[in-house]
Amino acid sequence: AKHDLGFYYPSGWRIEERDPKTSSPYPDTTELSLWLIDTSAETRSETAVITISTQSLDVVTAPLENHAHHKGHADDHEGEKSNTKQSLKMKGKKTYKYTFPQTATVNREMYYIEVGAKTYSIQTFYEVTNTARSSSYMTDFNKIVESMRVL
């Protein structure tokens, strides 16, 4: 299948397409599973994952809704970073960005973009390992997000 998707990525990374049946938690509704790999890494080389789901934005993000809270929420522990959700427009398309802290200083970032009846997503992966390996990891990830073209 042809997918209208384009993006730039760091020269030390490569793209690997994986079978959604083995690489996605939702194999029946995932039609594309692209992984970005740090070619210099010996272990945990995955840096980001891009997927295309045949399901709508609200259906795809429903499982995350239970985990995304806002600061000041009743169950927000004092001083603890909480999971957050932002509604954005990316390239004119409705987008949800989820930020889930992995440690006090490292976050998982997930973007879900509504493209017609489908949902495109890009998210960080092995954040603690990648941040330790490369000080520019989050900057590199954000450049990929900013460069994404979806039609």
Side-chain angles (χ1 to χ4, degrees):
K2 184 182 182 307
H3 303 285
D4 292 316
L5 172 69
F7 55 91
Y8 296 103
Y9 56 94
S11 59
W13 294 8
R14 66 178 172 81
I15 296 175
E16 187 175 286
E17 186 171 353
R18 295 185 180 172
D19 184 347
K21 287 178 178 39
T22 56
S23 66
S24 169
Y26 307 103
D28 297 337
T29 56
T30 302
E31 62 180 41
L32 182 68
S33 177
L34 288 182
W35 293 74
L36 288 131
I37 310 293
D38 181 340
T39 59
S40 69
E42 307 260 327
T43 60
R44 293 189 166 204
S45 58
E46 293 88 351
T47 56
V49 59
I50 296 172
T51 62
I52 298 177
S53 170
T54 57
Q55 294 186 301
S56 71
L57 178 64
D58 290 330
V59 169
V60 171
T61 58
L64 297 171
E65 287 298 309
N66 298 332
H67 304 290
H69 303 292
H70 299 280
K71 285 289 185 194
H73 204 272
D75 60 3
D76 190 19
H77 300 289
E78 191 60 42
E80 187 177 297
K81 289 172 67 176
S82 63
N83 300 332
T84 59
K85 173 188 174 183
Q86 291 172 272
S87 293
L88 313 165
K89 280 270 189 212
M90 270 181 56
K91 315 292 186 203
K93 304 202 182 297
K94 183 177 174 184
T95 302
Y96 296 151
K97 176 189 179 185
Y98 293 88
T99 304
F100 286 14
Q102 305 299 296
T103 69
T105 57
V106 178
N107 293 327
R108 168 162 295 162
E109 291 189 0
M110 300 169 279
Y111 291 84
Y112 293 87
I113 308 155
E114 185 175 63
V115 183
K118 297 181 181 182
T119 302
Y120 288 45
S121 72
I122 179 168
Q123 70 172 60
T124 54
F125 208 79
Y126 289 140
E127 298 81 2
V128 174
T129 300
N130 283 308
T131 304
R133 187 163 42 223
S134 169
S135 60
S136 66
Y137 171 67
M138 286 309 298
T139 302
D140 291 339
F141 174 78
N142 286 317
K143 285 179 182 171
I144 294 169
V145 173
E146 288 162 19
S147 76
M148 279 183 78
R149 288 181 286 104
V150 293
L151 303 174

